[in-house]
Every structure is written in C-alpha cells, then in structure tokens.
Amino acid sequence: MERFDENDIQYQKAKRYVEKLRGFYAHLFVYIAINVMIVFYNYSHLKPGESYFEFKNFFTLTFWGIGLLAHAATVFLSKSGYLHNWEEKKNSGTDEKREERFVEKA
C-alpha cells in the first residue's frame, strides 16, 4: 500500500473534498430519515376525509430541502472551478496582506 505525504497539497485538497462529501451524505441521510418519520406521523394523524396533500405536511421537507440543495451546490459545484477560484483568490489576498503587515512591523 502506498503511503501519501500528508503535507502534499493535492492530498490535502482530496482529503478536504472527501470530508465535504461525507458531510453532505450524512446530511442527506438525516434529511431522508427525519422526513420519513414526519411523513409517517402526519399520515397516521390525518382526520377522516382529510387530504395529506396540504402545505403544512410538506413544510419541513420543502425548506430543509432548499438547505440540502445549497449544501449539495457547495460540495459538488466547488469542483467546477468558480468557488475554487474564489477561494484561491481570497487565500492569496489574505496571505499577501499578512506579509505586508509583517513587513510593516519589522
């Protein structure tokens, strides 16, 4: 088995991506599990003749789903380049400002 250098930049990026991916799948699992329980609860507490298809029964599903989509976007679209480029710009700008402050103090 090949050992990886933990200081390697590519290794660190891959590790960070896997952690983000794992976090997303955990979020997805909890979303599905909780919403299945909510659906079961709502369905079992319907009054006779009442329709299940009312907004109140889909409130959590809808708004938590929007949050889940945002989480998915940050995980999967970060590989597309836009978020990565923005992150790199912010990191390089921060590094340059730190260097400037260090030089000014010296």
Side-chain angles (χ1 to χ4, degrees), residues 7-74:
N7 295 325
D8 184 30
I9 293 172
Q10 292 296 91
Y11 175 78
Q12 291 296 327
K13 286 181 181 180
K15 184 177 177 182
R16 187 171 59 206
Y17 179 71
V18 168
E19 288 171 358
K20 287 180 181 181
L21 196 60
R22 191 160 107 230
F24 170 73
Y25 284 127
H27 187 183
L28 179 64
F29 175 77
V30 170
Y31 172 80
I32 291 170
I34 296 296
N35 280 297
V36 164
M37 288 188 283
I38 290 172
V39 166
F40 179 74
Y41 177 81
N42 287 341
Y43 188 75
S44 65
H45 286 84
L46 284 177
K47 294 179 175 87
E50 184 180 11
S51 174
Y52 183 78
F53 297 101
E54 296 178 16
F55 182 71
K56 67 178 184 176
N57 293 328
F58 296 100
F59 187 79
T60 304
L61 185 79
T62 302
F63 290 105
W64 192 354
I66 292 169
L68 185 65
L69 284 174
H71 191 175
T74 61

Side-chain angles (χ1 to χ4, degrees), residues 84-94:
H84 177 71
N85 292 340
W86 177 83
E87 186 178 294
E88 290 296 323
K89 286 180 188 177
K90 290 294 179 184
N91 284 339
S92 65
T94 304

